[in-house]
Amino acid sequence: MMARYQRQMVLGEVGQKGQRRLLNSRVLVVGAGALGSAAATYLALAGVGTVGLVDGDVVELSNLHRQILHDSDQVGVLKTESAQRRLGALNPDVRVVEHPVFLNRDNTLGIFAPYDVIVNGSDNFPTRYLVNDAAVLLQKPLVDAAILRFEGQLAVFRPGLGCYRCLFPEPPPLGTVPDCAVAGILGAVAGVMGSMQAVETLKLLLGLSNDNRLRIYDALAGTWYPVPFMRDPACRVCGDAPTVSTLIDYENFCGVAAGLDDRGSGVAGEWSVTVDEADSLLADPNLLVIDVRDPREYAAGHIPGAVRLNLEDLDAWVSHHADQKTLVVCQVGIRSASATEYLRLNQMDAWNLAGGTRAWEASGRPLSQEDAQNT
Amino acid sequence: MTVHLPGDLAHEFGAPAHHITTAENLNALLQELDRQYPGMANWIAEVNGSVRQHLSVFVDGRRLEPTAALTTSLAHAQEVWILRAVSGG
């Protein structure tokens, strides 16, 4: 049985003793998606004795460019079932425990209880805060990661040394942070971050982990940046006087229960519209679409009829268009959100296109490279 | 001091992700960023001066209170991180 791990046991930091420790360990991976696929794969290959997987989703075709536990034959199959088959084939020594459910305030503590370490690969904020709070309440180490576009964030939270809420006490307002469906993700970035979660988990199990850093991976620059952090004494979960002593309604905490949908990136969430919602605005002949990107971006493709406006010229523009109903557009909805908020502060009837021209194009609507004009 | 911006913010404004500055406090830093990248300060701070709820500012490893952030001295800081959580998994 141990022969499988010979190259790993050669490492002085592992050895036979460490390998036995791994074989007797229990790790729970939350989410059998992109991060969870990579993390669970390396944990199983390393001989972690019990690997639990929590996920209520089924495999979809759009998952396959980054979720390496699943393949085309598994589309429509529960992710935990698909993962169990793959991990079992990779290493039959490992006991894979399926939890084919979505975590909530009622089931999380019970699911977490038997495990030594929690690995968080969830894909939404309510689950991230739920997983964090449950790990703190149960005094279990949490290996957390998140990804977007070409960026990854990784942190190891050990009991008593800080938690996710010490980094981000409040969830972002709904719609201010895009998800991978809107902003995109390079599949291999998820592989890097999930593999790093496995590395950090193995270090924890082997007693080799001792630092408190958020690590930020910039795939475009090819660099890692360590951001040291400390436990926040005012943290509501792990601080000196915690006010969260049991799990709460995380959908409500993150604003999801308010019935708002995802408005994409930007600071003007309440004035953001999706591409579909923009259709009704565009039906108004008095609506003006202004594009706040630079001339090069505008020339490469803009919404037909949109006029270009430099952000620095916004102030002057407002003074001459006080009654103008406006839809503001940029590449992904960040610059336009700032502009929209500014227009709203000036009492203008302005709207932000969530996801920008990228979402517009992704919806199948045309972009124009003609009638380039500036205001 | 080096100021690190969220990757997607830097990308959207065509700014480098890492910015060298001698700004003495966060307010001065935001003004400096906004001069170079119009609209960026509004993305980072509310009109009332507080750092936006979904951002965390860390100065040499310590998180600033949002309400104190703009007036807090950065005179001796080495590293300032403006972070925002992402949720993709």
Side-chain angles (χ1 to χ4, degrees):
Chain A
M1 183 176 181
M2 298 291 265
R4 177 185 291 267
Y5 313 108
Q6 192 272 337
R7 300 291 170 84
Q8 186 166 278
M9 290 190 297
V10 165
L11 298 167
E13 292 81 356
V14 181
Q16 287 202 14
K17 184 179 175 186
Q19 190 60 50
R20 283 195 203 95
R21 186 184 291 186
L22 294 180
L23 287 163
N24 289 323
S25 297
R26 293 155 296 186
V27 175
L28 180 68
V29 179
V30 178
L35 293 171
S37 284
T41 297
Y42 276 108
L43 292 172
L45 290 172
V48 170
T50 300
V51 175
L53 289 157
V54 191
D55 204 316
D57 267 332
V58 297
V59 178
E60 297 178 20
L61 186 62
S62 63
N63 300 152
L64 299 183
H65 91 289
R66 66 195 185 283
Q67 300 186 12
I68 59 171
L69 276 176
H70 319 298
D71 58 45
S72 302
D73 292 339
Q74 306 297 330
V75 171
V77 173
L78 276 167
K79 286 185 178 179
T80 51
E81 184 182 335
S82 170
Q84 197 278 338
R85 288 180 199 164
R86 176 65 57 84
L87 296 176
L90 287 172
N91 189 350
D93 295 349
V94 174
R95 174 175 170 252
V96 180
V97 179
E98 296 178 52
H99 302 278
V101 296
F102 295 106
L103 291 178
N104 59 49
R105 64 191 298 184
D106 297 320
N107 65 13
T108 300
L109 293 176
I111 290 173
F112 279 20
Y115 293 95
D116 302 313
V117 179
I118 310 300
V119 175
N120 192 4
S122 60
D123 64 357
N124 61 83
F125 284 111
T127 306
R128 289 196 171 278
Y129 282 91
L130 167 65
V131 168
N132 175 73
D133 292 3
V136 172
L137 292 175
L138 292 170
Q139 295 285 293
K140 292 187 184 291
L142 170 64
V143 181
D144 188 276
I147 49 176
L148 189 71
R149 299 188 74 250
F150 297 93
E151 180 183 317
Q153 298 178 351
L154 170 77
V156 179
F157 301 114
R158 287 171 294 154
L161 296 175
C163 76
Y164 186 73
R165 289 202 196 216
C166 296
L167 289 175
F168 302 108
E170 298 288 338
L174 201 66
T176 57
V177 178
D179 61 18
C180 292
V182 172
I185 176 66
L186 191 68
V189 172
V192 169
M193 299 307 294
S195 298
M196 280 296 290
Q197 284 183 286
V199 169
E200 294 300 327
T201 302
L202 295 170
K203 286 166 60 181
L204 273 171
L205 295 172
L206 293 166
L208 304 173
S209 176
N210 58 7
D211 70 348
N212 257 34
R213 292 178 184 180
L214 170 70
R215 292 176 176 80
I216 295 183
Y217 176 54
D218 179 344
L220 286 176
T223 49
W224 287 88
Y225 294 96
V227 185
F229 69 91
M230 304 170 195
R231 184 181 71 92
D232 181 356
C235 177
R236 283 190 279 171
V237 182
C238 76
D240 294 342
T243 56
V244 176
S245 57
T246 185
L247 299 181
I248 61 174
D249 182 341
Y250 293 89
E251 298 279 307
N252 187 51
F253 177 62
C254 294
V256 178
L260 300 170
D261 51 13
D262 191 343
R263 299 282 159 171
S265 175
V267 295
E270 62 188 296
W271 302 305
S272 289
V273 294
T274 65
V275 171
D276 287 340
E277 290 167 343
D279 282 339
S280 62
L281 290 173
L282 292 164
D284 181 347
N286 294 318
L287 180 90
L288 180 66
V289 180
I290 61 172
D291 188 323
V292 295
R293 296 175 301 163
D294 66 34
R296 176 183 50 80
E297 294 174 291
Y298 178 86
H302 53 269
I303 292 175
V307 295
R308 202 186 68 76
L309 176 70
N310 292 319
L311 277 170
E312 52 266 46
D313 296 333
L314 204 58
D315 202 30
W317 190 82
V318 167
S319 64
H320 294 99
H321 299 80
D323 299 322
Q324 178 66 57
K325 185 178 181 181
T326 306
L327 176 66
V328 191
V329 178
C330 67
Q331 193 78 5
V332 297
I334 291 179
R335 285 170 289 182
S336 57
S338 293
T340 300
E341 186 172 77
Y342 183 78
L343 297 179
R344 285 279 171 175
L345 287 169
N346 283 276
Q347 316 304 321
M348 290 187 64
D349 189 8
W351 301 89
N352 174 48
L353 182 64
T357 54
R358 193 175 292 168
W360 177 273
E361 189 173 25
S363 73
R365 291 168 172 77
L367 290 177
S368 172
Q369 294 175 320
E370 299 174 355
D371 65 8
Q373 54 185 303
N374 296 327
T375 60
Chain B
M1 124 187 76
T2 303
V3 178
H4 306 267
L5 301 172
D8 59 337
L9 176 67
H11 173 75
E12 175 69 3
F13 281 86
H18 314 288
H19 186 87
I20 305 297
T21 178
T22 56
E24 293 191 349
N25 58 41
L26 190 55
N27 191 41
L29 170 63
L30 292 182
Q31 290 181 20
E32 182 180 318
L33 290 172
D34 210 57
R35 278 195 297 274
Q36 295 183 45
Y37 311 104
M40 186 179 282
N42 183 53
W43 193 90
I44 296 171
E46 305 275 0
V47 176
N48 67 10
S50 60
V51 172
R52 290 195 182 272
Q53 182 188 16
H54 63 288
L55 301 177
S56 288
V57 179
F58 280 80
V59 178
D60 294 337
R62 188 173 293 278
R63 183 176 183 276
L64 294 184
E65 286 297 321
T67 51
L70 293 190
T71 55
T72 300
S73 172
L74 301 177
H76 302 292
Q78 299 293 314
E79 300 274 341
V80 174
W81 283 88
I82 299 173
L83 298 172
R84 79 166 183 172
V86 296
S87 68

